[in-house]
Amino acid sequence: MSEQGRVAPARRRGLADEVADRIREAIFAGTYAPGAQLREVELSGALDVSRGPVREALLRLEREGLVRSAWHRGATVTTLSAADVAELDSLRAALEQLAVRQVAAQASDDDLAAVEQAAERMRRVEDEHEMVRCDIAFHDAVYAAARHRRLEEAWQAIRSQVHLFLLTRIGVRSADYLAHIPEEHRELAAALRARDTEHALALFAAHRLHAFDVLTGPDPRT
């Protein structure tokens, strides 16, 4: 085989993956808010690794949409623009509509039980960042219940950005999120359990609209 036809040896990326996991979790925990700078030197010191894995990790998080880089600012946690919010909302709507129809047609009783359990876990949560994790976990369960591999892969591709969307939401208004989100998700789970497609579609649409309105309406902090 010619040199041109050879496959290049794979590089081990375990350390960069772990660093990406740590930085991602710090973002999701609120340690680094949207707009916060992510300095390679500081991160490498905090994580006790060289700057190479940190650089690779930041590139991976940039591909996920969690980080943005600019030559004059370096890497920062993504701040969602109005256009970002609108695009995420419309794409999420398209995916969820298919997911709901698939769940009604394909989900097993065990799948639906997993969705219900994910909703039930939200009742015991009092921390807003943990509630966002539970919110995402609920939607993970819905996409798993849809039994549509490519649909689930499409969800995974935007999952981190939806997590950031919800973090941005609680940054604007968290009290109503903690108060109302658990019941909203129990209603969503109940509609899926009943396999009532049209009712479930209406509930999921209202659920998305509420979050969208929070992010696009007047900021109560101003």
Side-chain angles (χ1 to χ4, degrees):
M1 182 182 294
S2 68
E3 286 296 323
Q4 185 176 0
R6 292 185 185 277
V7 176
R11 292 196 307 159
R12 298 184 63 181
R13 292 177 49 86
L15 185 57
D17 289 343
E18 182 177 349
V19 171
D21 290 345
R22 298 283 184 86
I23 299 172
R24 185 189 303 105
E25 179 53 33
I27 293 170
F28 290 165
T31 304
Y32 299 108
Q37 288 194 305
L38 298 168
R39 297 180 176 88
E40 288 182 14
V41 173
E42 293 178 3
L43 289 168
S44 64
L47 296 169
D48 195 23
V49 297
S50 67
R51 293 177 64 178
V54 172
R55 190 174 300 116
E56 288 187 53
L58 291 175
L59 287 172
R60 173 173 174 172
L61 295 176
E62 187 171 7
R63 288 193 294 270
E64 291 181 17
L66 281 181
V67 169
R68 285 182 178 160
S69 296
W71 70 268
H72 60 294
R73 291 197 64 195
T76 58
V77 179
T78 298
T79 299
L80 296 177
S81 67
D84 293 329
V85 169
E87 287 188 2
L88 275 171
D89 179 69
S90 61
L91 180 55
R92 185 180 171 191
L95 297 181
E96 282 189 352
Q97 287 169 19
L98 177 55
V100 167
R101 295 185 186 281
Q102 284 290 123
V103 170
Q106 303 291 339
S108 68
D109 286 343
D110 286 346
D111 292 331
L112 294 170
V115 173
E116 290 167 335
Q117 288 164 10
E120 188 64 21
R121 282 192 290 272
M122 302 178 84
R123 295 181 60 182
R124 301 184 291 275
V125 175
E126 297 180 357
D127 175 78
E128 58 193 16
H129 290 93
E130 184 60 28
M131 187 68 82
V132 170
R133 289 188 187 90
C134 288
D135 195 334
I136 293 292
F138 173 88
H139 292 281
D140 287 341
V142 171
Y143 282 99
R147 295 184 175 269
H148 188 307
R149 180 173 60 83
R150 286 178 173 81
L151 175 60
E152 189 167 7
E153 289 173 352
W155 160 246
Q156 289 297 325
I158 66 166
R159 184 181 187 275
S160 288
Q161 294 177 63
V162 174
H163 200 136
L164 186 62
F165 178 104
L166 295 177
L167 290 176
T168 305
R169 173 189 172 164
I170 65 173
V172 174
R173 190 186 307 156
S174 63
D176 71 317
Y177 182 74
L178 288 170
H180 301 300
I181 282 295
E183 182 58 31
E184 282 187 26
H185 284 81
R186 285 196 293 275
E187 291 175 355
L188 296 175
L192 292 175
R193 166 64 73 180
R195 300 182 190 272
D196 187 338
T197 304
E198 295 309 314
H199 183 50
L201 286 170
L203 288 178
F204 272 84
H207 177 64
R208 290 190 307 272
L209 179 61
H210 186 193
F212 183 77
D213 286 346
V214 168
L215 286 182
T216 57
D219 190 335
R221 299 169 298 182
T222 60

